[in-house]
Amino acid sequence: MGRPSWRLSAKLLIASSLVTVIGFSAICASVMLDMRRGEEQLARQSLENLASGIDADISRNIELYDLSLRNVANNVGVPETKDVSKPVLHLILFDHAATAKHFGAIQVFDADGRLTVDASTLDPLPENRSDEEYFTVHRDNPNVGLFISRPMLHRGRYAIVLSRRINGPDGHFIGVVAGSIRFSYFHELFGGLSLDEGDTITVLRSDRTVVMRRPFDLDVIGRNLGERHDWNPANLKDGGSYEGAGPIDRTPRLYVRRAGDHPLIVIVGKPLDAIFKIWRTQATRIGAIMLALIVFVVAVTLFLAREIRRRAEAEAKLEELATTDSLTGLRNRRKFDATIESEWRRAMRHKTPISLLMIDADHFKAYNDTHGHQAGDEVLVGIAICISDSVKRAPDCAARYGGEEFAVLLPGLSPPEAMRVAETIRTKVLSWSGGESASTVSIGVAGTTPVLGMDWSTLVHAADKALYAAKASGRNCCILATVPTLSLAA
């Protein structure tokens, strides 16, 4: 397996680990988001059930009390009741529902606001309520129906007043019937619920006036939230929910709103911190596990990638040793044959020229016999250095072909260009060796543009033949051969 394969393996390992980490992280994030949505949905359902239960209780009590008010409004103006005694009148007008716990006594006021009938006594004290909102609203508007007042101190207790208009036989205004629901009703209702710290219950009038709130705060009771400019009522529509800070305090909560047929609105809220407390614990635990796994995967990946790189470097060194001539440092014959095979095919595909230099040291055998093998090796090394200095392009391949013979493959160069490279090598060797009496080289040059049916051995044969021609011409020269015609040119 070559170096590119090892590099590819390392890249694939890193890429696969990265994809794995991203994939598991995405799955983990999706699971945690689903868990969060589940917690939110469960909290919303619980709040909806709570709001519906509170709304149903308030609606039922208001409906019962309103029936008593309707009964009084329908019967108090009947002519037959004018002449009956007060005890009988009380029996006609007031039922037991009106005297239930948390309900204030029903009172009847005439057209001038004076108290005429009081369910709590047969002889009521003089009282005038003509300036109260629950009186003037019926006097000025015949179509109000059931009216619920702002929270107020009524007959010595904090309460909301429920009232209806009393019409005469001809429909004209003859008075108002009013009763109250005390705050104690809401305190008892909210106190019987299982609520967590931070949970809120708010009861509003239709004009967004706060009637009651849990936790109880007298400074909040009676405040009109419609006057808050930093709160958009559209955030919380009937039957809907809202996440964020509310209009009373800035604690982020999940709010749910319910409103029945009565003029009151019930809003319940739960802090988001409480809703997602368990989820955050689970998410932190899962996130910690995922982080540990990611660190482990990254560490293993980096370790394996380093091992792959070290192995690739080791194999590259082995390949270098296997393809390099140990004496000259040039490529060996095996590497040269593999290179010329691949470059020949590439030149054939792309229709580009390819040239070859065959170089032989002149009189090397005699020099080697005279001066010894060590001196001969130094000559070969010097020639190799001159070749390396003259051949520097990436695709070029300079090799020791055998003994004192060298080969230089020049892909992409035409024969004339290759001839110039050969002359450069020859003159460098001549200059390095010290003049005409020193070592020289003879060079055979061949070049062609391969076509289908040709073999690279043709190029080698032509260059080799040109080399023999150079030696026959007196050595220390370059001869160019044409391929496939082996006619020679000096």
Side-chain angles (χ1 to χ4, degrees), residues 259-416:
D261 297 331
H262 53 85
L264 295 182
I265 300 168
V266 176
I267 298 175
V268 295
K270 192 175 190 65
L272 295 180
D273 285 344
I275 293 175
F276 299 120
K277 181 179 180 180
I278 296 177
W279 173 83
R280 280 196 302 271
T281 302
Q282 295 174 336
T284 301
R285 184 181 301 114
I286 294 174
I289 294 173
M290 282 300 303
L291 181 61
L293 289 176
I294 289 173
V295 171
F296 174 76
V297 170
V298 171
V300 171
T301 299
L302 292 177
F303 173 77
L304 293 178
R306 186 183 65 180
E307 290 302 310
I308 290 174
R309 184 177 67 253
R310 289 173 60 184
R311 180 165 293 189
E313 291 173 352
E315 291 200 358
K317 291 179 180 178
L318 290 176
E319 182 182 1
E320 185 75 17
L321 292 174
T323 58
T324 302
D325 179 68
S326 59
L327 175 64
T328 63
L330 300 179
R331 299 300 183 185
N332 58 20
R333 176 68 178 272
R334 176 185 174 190
K335 180 64 175 179
F336 174 80
D337 290 344
T339 303
I340 194 172
E341 175 73 24
S342 61
E343 292 296 339
W344 182 266
R345 292 180 180 178
R346 182 180 291 110
M348 186 180 296
R349 286 196 306 270
H350 299 290
K351 297 181 174 56
T352 56
I354 184 171
S355 297
L356 175 65
L357 311 182
M358 296 300 291
I359 306 170
D360 189 77
D362 296 331
H363 306 293
F364 180 76
K365 182 174 176 48
Y367 184 89
N368 201 38
D369 292 341
T370 302
H371 297 89
H373 292 290
Q374 186 173 357
D377 289 344
E378 291 177 357
V379 170
L380 294 180
V381 171
I383 294 173
I385 293 173
C386 293
I387 293 174
S388 299
D389 288 344
S390 304
V391 180
K392 297 181 179 180
R393 296 188 313 149
D396 296 341
C397 178
R400 185 180 180 187
Y401 200 71
E404 69 275 15
E405 192 173 3
F406 300 87
V408 178
L409 185 65
L410 302 171
L413 292 190
S414 63

Side-chain angles (χ1 to χ4, degrees), residues 20-347:
T20 300
V21 168
I22 293 175
F24 276 107
S25 298
I27 293 173
C28 179
S30 176
V31 170
M32 288 193 290
L33 288 176
D34 286 341
M35 291 169 57
R36 188 183 191 280
R37 284 191 288 266
E39 293 288 342
E40 182 181 353
Q41 183 64 26
L42 180 62
R44 182 179 288 106
Q45 290 175 353
S46 299
L47 292 177
E48 288 175 350
N49 293 335
L50 177 62
S52 297
I54 295 172
D55 180 74
D57 193 284
I58 294 175
S59 178
R60 181 174 62 254
N61 282 281
I62 288 179
E63 183 179 3
L64 290 174
Y65 203 62
D66 188 38
L67 288 175
S68 299
L69 296 179
R70 286 174 182 268
N71 179 66
V72 174
N74 291 334
N75 293 325
V76 74
V78 177
E80 291 80 0
T81 62
K82 292 183 178 181
D83 300 326
V84 300
S85 64
K86 289 184 179 180
V88 174
L89 180 62
H90 275 227
L91 291 175
I92 295 173
L93 295 180
F94 308 120
D95 55 23
H96 292 292
T99 60
K101 184 181 179 181
H102 308 305
F103 288 174
I106 294 178
Q107 297 176 308
V108 178
F109 301 92
D110 62 16
D112 295 323
R114 293 188 297 268
L115 177 63
T116 59
V117 182
D118 190 330
S120 63
T121 178
L122 295 177
D123 297 309
L125 296 175
E127 190 175 325
N128 191 299
R129 298 294 181 181
S130 60
D131 57 346
E132 294 287 355
E133 181 189 22
Y134 62 81
F135 181 87
T136 59
V137 70
H138 291 295
R139 182 192 64 195
D140 300 336
N141 190 345
N143 300 317
V144 172
L146 176 65
F147 178 76
I148 298 179
S149 74
R150 297 170 57 89
M152 59 189 299
L153 189 62
H154 181 72
R155 304 187 71 178
R157 298 184 181 181
Y158 283 102
I160 54 173
V161 177
L162 283 67
S163 59
R164 278 192 173 273
R165 176 187 172 103
I166 302 176
N167 292 321
D170 58 354
H172 70 282
F173 175 72
I174 63 172
V176 170
V177 56
S180 64
I181 298 180
R182 303 186 185 106
F183 277 11
S184 59
Y185 161 70
F186 295 104
H187 290 311
E188 184 176 288
L189 174 61
F190 298 164
L193 301 174
S194 178
L195 301 175
D196 296 328
E197 184 179 358
D199 293 355
T200 62
I201 303 173
T202 308
V203 181
L204 307 175
R205 286 201 315 179
S206 56
D207 66 348
R208 303 187 62 78
T209 298
V210 178
V211 172
M212 176 55 67
R213 188 174 188 270
R214 188 270 182 194
F216 183 77
D217 184 353
L218 198 58
D219 292 335
V220 174
I221 305 303
R223 182 188 301 176
N224 191 325
L225 301 183
E227 298 173 356
R228 292 285 300 268
H229 300 294
D230 56 347
W231 170 259
N232 183 7
N235 289 340
L236 195 58
K237 299 180 180 179
D238 184 27
S241 61
Y242 166 76
E243 287 186 21
I248 295 178
D249 61 43
R250 309 311 297 174
T251 301
R253 291 185 175 89
L254 172 62
Y255 292 96
V256 172
R257 169 179 168 174
R258 284 292 180 272
D261 297 331
H262 53 85
L264 295 182
I265 300 168
V266 176
I267 298 175
V268 295
K270 192 175 190 65
L272 295 180
D273 285 344
I275 293 175
F276 299 120
K277 181 179 180 180
I278 296 177
W279 173 83
R280 280 196 302 271
T281 302
Q282 295 174 336
T284 301
R285 184 181 301 114
I286 294 174
I289 294 173
M290 282 300 303
L291 181 61
L293 289 176
I294 289 173
V295 171
F296 174 76
V297 170
V298 171
V300 171
T301 299
L302 292 177
F303 173 77
L304 293 178
R306 186 183 65 180
E307 290 302 310
I308 290 174
R309 184 177 67 253
R310 289 173 60 184
R311 180 165 293 189
E313 291 173 352
E315 291 200 358
K317 291 179 180 178
L318 290 176
E319 182 182 1
E320 185 75 17
L321 292 174
T323 58
T324 302
D325 179 68
S326 59
L327 175 64
T328 63
L330 300 179
R331 299 300 183 185
N332 58 20
R333 176 68 178 272
R334 176 185 174 190
K335 180 64 175 179
F336 174 80
D337 290 344
T339 303
I340 194 172
E341 175 73 24
S342 61
E343 292 296 339
W344 182 266
R345 292 180 180 178
R346 182 180 291 110

